[in-house]
Amino acid sequence: MEIWLLILLMALVTFGIRYALYAKANAITLPAKLEQALKFSAPCVLTAIWVPAVLMPQGELALTPQNPYLIGAVIALGIALWKRNILLTIVVSMSCFFVYKHLILV
Amino acid sequence: MNNNQANSKSPSQLFLKGVWDAAPLIIGGIPFGIIFGTLSLNAGLDIWQTVGLSSIVFAGSAQFVAIGMLAAGTSLGFIVAATLIVNLRHLIYAASMLPYVKHLPQRWRLPLGFLLIDEVYAATYPHHINNLKDKNNHWHYLGVGLAFYISWNIATLVGIFFGQAIPGIDTWGLDFAMSATFIGMVVPHLVNRPMIVAVLTSGLLAVLTFHWPHKIGLVLSSLTGMAIGYYLEQRMQGKK
């Protein structure tokens, strides 16, 4: 039962964040300073999630070629910087990741 | 020939274009949804609770954080707080979409708000700024959002059922899809020094604080990165 309460609260919090500004959309102008700082929010939060996910997939720092997440991420970064194309980044890096993890490392 | 007429697309055309534009991010989302369905059961949630998280909360990374914390026995209050922090970035998405939804009635703004996740924002925002004259852009937003919502929930179901049928699916490394998608979304932002330093700081701190309890490290890393980016940008503008 507590899990359902959690799901409900998570739903309220999540929807609240997304809808808060839309609710009063015609009456709201954000302070310019806040808008400038918030611009950094998505890239920073996303990076704070994916960097540990690829550098420490088992919870400990793994900076070795034995870590397929690290190899996959380096390839993803390379393609993203080079081509700036999300589809290409995802498809190529995922393919490389799976080939490396399941065929090369095994 | 009337140019305005020719440039203005119909709702169904824009909806389909939205579905099409969502496709690359859906490809990254599907493996992520499958692994979520699998891990959620492993973390002790039942099938309906797992379906509930994907369909009612609809927030990929927050869902992962929550089941991770549940598995570690974290109390409810901390998990809700972590959800708030992890999803706070959606505020900036709402802020930047504001000019394009403010003319819409609430019956549009409610579902569009619910659907505002990273991938939806990443796919529809560029369409909005590149087609300012089109009056039906909210159909594009809806197309992206529904396409992603439906595929996320199907992927979760696949994870729930195949996760049990195929032993070891959780060791395949499907979770790499999340990192690949996030890298693809972050890199286009790296266009100036404040942003690059902000992102590097955030990533480095996230590693150093990874073992701190209750995702405090994630929060602190993100906020520090944002503060440094903001400070550097102000200083750059001051010099001009």
Side-chain angles (χ1 to χ4, degrees), chain A residues 22-34:
Chain A
Y22 284 11
K24 297 264 174 204
N26 7 22
I28 294 176
T29 2
L30 292 184
K33 282 190 174 180
L34 182 63

Side-chain angles (χ1 to χ4, degrees), chain B residues 107-170:
Chain B
R107 71 187 155 82
W108 270 96
R109 278 188 256 157
L110 272 161
L112 292 185
F114 176 78
L115 294 170
L116 190 62
I117 60 166
D118 299 288
E119 287 87 347
V120 172
Y121 172 75
T124 202
Y125 182 69
H127 172 86
H128 279 75
I129 52 173
N130 291 330
N131 297 277
L132 289 174
K133 280 182 183 160
D134 228 313
K135 286 196 178 69
N136 292 316
N137 283 332
H138 49 291
W139 285 95
H140 182 275
Y141 186 161
L142 188 69
V144 173
L146 282 182
F148 208 90
Y149 181 79
I150 291 166
S151 43
W152 177 247
N153 280 282
I154 291 176
T156 303
L157 287 174
V158 170
I160 290 173
F161 294 109
F162 285 74
Q164 290 167 315
I166 307 170
I169 195 173
D170 51 332

